[in-house]
Amino acid sequence: MSETIDLVKEINRLKKEKNAVILAHYYQVPEIQDIADYVGDSLGLSQKAAETDADIIVFAGVHFMAETAKILNPNKTVVLPDLNAGCSLADSCPPESFDAFIKQHPNHVVITYVNCSAEIKALSDIVCTSSNALKIVESIPKETPIIFAPDKNLGRYIMKETGRDLLLWDGSCVVHEAFSMDKLIELHKKHPDYKIIAHPESESHILDTATYIGSTAGIINFVKEHPNEKFIVATEVGILHKMQEEIPTAKLIPAPALEDNTCACSECHFMKMNTMQKLYDCLLNESPQIEVPGNIVERALLPIERMLELSK
């Protein structure tokens, strides 16, 4: 059917008719980013989801992000173009195992990175994103022990930056662990005038090479502050679309991945599962819908609201 209709026109028509908003992550395919009402990182998307007056939220991202939007808007319809768009990091923290882990370490404040399931958020005291993780950890009294989950790489980065001793869950994102140090060194030798900028979910040996470390939005803002410089970007390659659009003078190269894929960069296949056709279909049919059980919504809402309050 996509050959016979103008998807951009039809999506915009349905959006208006149904009072829908399209929220998209920076790692989505360019055409989805271009049609979205808002493109952002996890923190920005959570903030937009919390304040929207739309009746339908179309979440062009992955499952845990749409769940967060549903927790913040339990009475609204939240749809995800592809229900199978998951997250390797969220999958690395099963709720039963994490619950047992918490019980083994009583008296710890539980801080979880937003890249986790609704069930994990419900077991947490406070949620964070890579944009506000340092601020949130530093808001906890120094004498209070902290469990940090699920991302061990982000946890190690926080420990290094704050000097705090965190009890880390052993989880990680396959995309941010896919950068090849050897290939990065080779690339930097070819382009010695390019600075390396990286997301804190990357492994520490990659972070040690970086001029700047920050969230997806942080990386974009850093390049905006240095619009005529050259960068090797160590995060999911989808970010380059918005960066190049907003900062056309910057020279950007994606950091190389271990695997020999077609772009030789690091791609999240879950993020790329959403397509314009699926976006149109889910808006047309108001399906697949994200459902979160009421008891989970109730328990997960508080740690998310604590994060949003601390992020103001």
Side-chain angles (χ1 to χ4, degrees):
M1 189 179 179
S2 59
E3 294 82 19
T4 60
I5 65 166
D6 181 336
L7 286 174
V8 172
K9 186 180 170 187
E10 287 303 302
I11 288 168
N12 282 324
R13 178 184 65 78
L14 286 169
K15 195 172 70 170
K16 199 173 174 183
E17 274 180 20
K18 295 178 180 241
N19 186 29
V21 66
I22 299 172
L23 305 180
H25 195 275
Y26 286 120
Y27 300 166
Q28 292 293 288
V29 294
E31 53 269 32
I32 288 181
Q33 291 190 45
D34 291 343
I35 203 168
D37 297 289
Y38 177 81
V39 181
D41 64 358
S42 295
L43 176 60
L45 291 165
S46 296
Q47 289 167 328
K48 286 292 172 187
E51 65 192 35
T52 186
D53 56 2
D55 296 316
I56 298 173
I57 299 171
V58 181
F59 214 110
V62 293
H63 198 272
F64 78 80
M65 296 176 177
E67 274 188 338
T68 303
K70 184 65 177 178
I71 291 163
L72 288 162
N73 298 277
N75 300 319
K76 292 184 190 290
T77 299
V78 178
V79 291
L80 183 67
D82 192 319
L83 212 50
N84 293 315
C87 170
S88 60
L89 178 53
D91 290 346
S92 72
C93 192
E96 303 78 16
S97 306
F98 189 56
D99 190 28
F101 183 73
I102 293 169
K103 284 171 179 161
Q104 285 163 16
H105 303 94
N107 307 318
H108 283 63
V109 166
V110 180
I111 300 178
T112 52
Y113 186 33
V114 72
N115 298 35
C116 64
S117 67
E119 288 85 359
I120 296 298
K121 290 180 178 74
L123 292 167
S124 311
D125 294 302
I126 189 163
V127 171
C128 74
T129 71
S130 50
S131 294
N132 58 28
L134 295 174
K135 184 180 181 182
I136 282 171
V137 167
E138 286 176 330
S139 76
I140 307 298
K142 281 190 164 53
E143 64 279 5
T144 304
I146 296 171
I147 287 172
F148 186 85
D151 193 287
K152 63 184 177 186
N153 293 319
L154 178 56
R156 285 183 191 132
Y157 169 72
I158 294 166
M159 287 168 73
K160 187 178 174 186
E161 291 298 304
T162 63
R164 298 290 291 265
D165 185 25
L166 308 180
L167 182 60
L168 303 180
W169 178 263
D170 187 20
S172 62
C173 161
V174 295
V175 174
H176 287 99
E177 287 207 323
F179 297 116
S180 165
M181 193 64 190
D182 293 341
K183 287 184 185 176
L184 185 60
I185 290 165
E186 275 307 306
L187 185 63
H188 201 253
K189 277 182 188 168
K190 283 184 201 166
H191 304 281
D193 51 341
Y194 277 64
K195 293 173 179 169
I196 297 166
I197 52 180
H199 192 284
E201 282 183 51
S202 304
E203 291 181 293
S204 53
H205 58 265
I206 298 291
L207 298 182
D208 289 343
T209 68
T211 299
Y212 173 80
I213 300 164
S215 68
T216 317
I219 287 171
I220 292 177
N221 289 332
F222 183 78
V223 176
K224 278 182 182 171
E225 289 163 13
H226 305 84
N228 300 308
E229 294 192 28
K230 301 170 181 179
F231 299 100
I232 295 169
V233 186
T235 190
E236 211 274 358
V237 70
I239 192 179
L240 267 67
H241 173 67
K242 203 46 102 174
M243 285 173 84
Q244 207 68 83
E245 189 181 87
E246 293 188 16
I247 317 119
T249 52
K251 299 283 188 294
L252 307 170
I253 304 175
L258 289 163
E259 73 273 14
D260 292 315
N261 57 16
T262 50
C263 72
C265 55
S266 209
E267 280 197 325
C268 174
H269 79 278
F270 288 122
M271 283 284 188
K272 303 301 189 266
M273 289 173 81
N274 296 320
T275 64
M276 286 290 279
Q277 182 67 50
K278 289 176 186 174
L279 187 65
Y280 167 75
D281 290 341
C282 86
L283 190 48
L284 178 70
N285 303 317
E286 298 179 24
S287 170
Q289 290 191 22
I290 297 295
E291 298 296 346
V292 181
N295 62 323
I296 297 291
V297 169
E298 205 174 312
R299 287 161 54 211
L301 184 59
L302 192 58
I304 295 169
E305 284 181 334
R306 283 179 183 145
M307 172 190 77
L308 293 173
E309 188 58 39
L310 275 168
S311 303
K312 284 179 179 172

